[in-house]
Amino acid sequence: MSWEDKVRKVTPYTPGEQPRRTDIIKLNTNECPYPPSPKVAEAIAAFDEDRLRLYPDPAAADLVKALADHYQVDKDQVFVGVGSDDVLAMAFLTYFTAGKPILFSDVTYSFYDVWAELFGIPYKKCALKDDFSLDASDYLQDNGGIIIANPNAPTGLMADLGMIEKIVLANQDSVVIVDEAYVDFGGVSAIPLVEKYENLLVVQTFSKSRAMAGMRIGFAVGSKKLIAYLNDAKFSFNSYTMNHLTIACGKACVEDDLYFKEITGKIVATRERVKKEMAELGFKFPDSMTNFLFVTHPQIDAEELFLALKEEGIFVRYFKKPRIDQYLRVTIGTDAQMDALITFLKEYMKNRSFV
Ligand SMILES: *Cc1c(COP(=O)(O)O)cnc(C)c1O
């Protein structure tokens, strides 16, 4: 056996492109087009670099406390990590050990099957309906765990809380994770349900609605028992996941609720306007409750348009995958960025005499 036969081999997740160019309109990874809260800038200015000599607080208590206060739960019900990807990976490792298939949608966040493969967790993909909505009856079968992105990515659709509760209720013998990366753009969070269901973990991130993708902060809210198991796994892996500066910035960010409401409100307003304009151009899309639209056009090849947009310096996301290879996922940017997109699309279509 060669050393290479002894190596773990995995097919990694492919993140969206992060080009070095700054002169582009970047609508490809669902980042926030607005800066983080001014309170974050203050926290950075006030930061004493002498603290970097010391290890950070392994429990990230300041950030955990700020989140617990904000979401009105106990601090023992909150777990934080290096982006929600870190939180979700730890959750897969901790909760999905039964050896039975875990369940998730066929069209959803493409990291789920990557973690399942990495940790050797069997999984089964449940097909969304033709309109990409969730079929709750798929989640009534025996399983080793469940993960649902709600609102879903890359479709943008939200399942109502009643459906989520029905799934959690029917699966008291498994852990059900709800990934709410996009819930702050008009969605309804399942966080209040964690008081009622010990097996429910709700995961959120600072990357989209809190304008801090570059800082890497994610968190989970659940029952004390569920969070304790997650912490045990984390402390068996890497105690010091959150650094001093990140903890300080995260806390400052959560405490500035006014600014948070202002930027998410602006994005929702832009999204609703762009929905109308895209519809007028003949694009079809599920009714997004997120900071992106998942669009398709009956006469335009998605990959061709993706490349034409890129040529123009407008980056969007294209997935060459079954069911969605005629769709583009377009992040909602500033009004000016979306105007540039619409202007380009009108020109593109005029040149092809579609409109
Ligand atoms: C963006 C995203 C995440 C991960 O975000 P982090 O930057 O790691 O916090 C998780 N789930 C979904 C569905 C996402 O879209």
Side-chain angles (χ1 to χ4, degrees), residues 53-74:
R53 288 186 302 106
L54 308 173
Y55 280 108
D57 171 13
D62 287 351
L63 179 55
V64 164
K65 170 84 167 50
L67 285 165
D69 288 349
H70 184 77
Y71 290 100
Q72 298 184 308
V73 293
D74 194 275

Side-chain angles (χ1 to χ4, degrees), residues 27 33-34 267 270 273-274 331-340:
L27 307 176
Y34 303 111
I267 291 165
T270 305
R273 162 179 79 93
V274 173
T331 305
I332 302 298
T334 62
D335 279 308
Q337 289 177 321
M338 302 320 279
D339 287 344

Side-chain angles (χ1 to χ4, degrees), residues 161-178:
L161 203 55
M163 187 183 282
I164 297 295
E165 182 165 10
K166 186 176 151 191
I167 292 169
V168 176
L169 185 64
N171 288 282
Q172 303 278 300
D173 296 333
S174 295
V175 173
V176 179
I177 301 174
V178 182

Side-chain angles (χ1 to χ4, degrees), residues 82-85 88 109 112 149 153 179 181-182 205 207-208 216-218:
V82 186
S84 54
D85 287 341
L88 288 164
Y109 189 38
Y112 300 156
D179 178 355
Y182 299 102
T205 175
S207 298
K208 281 85 187 215
R216 313 304 301 128
I217 305 176

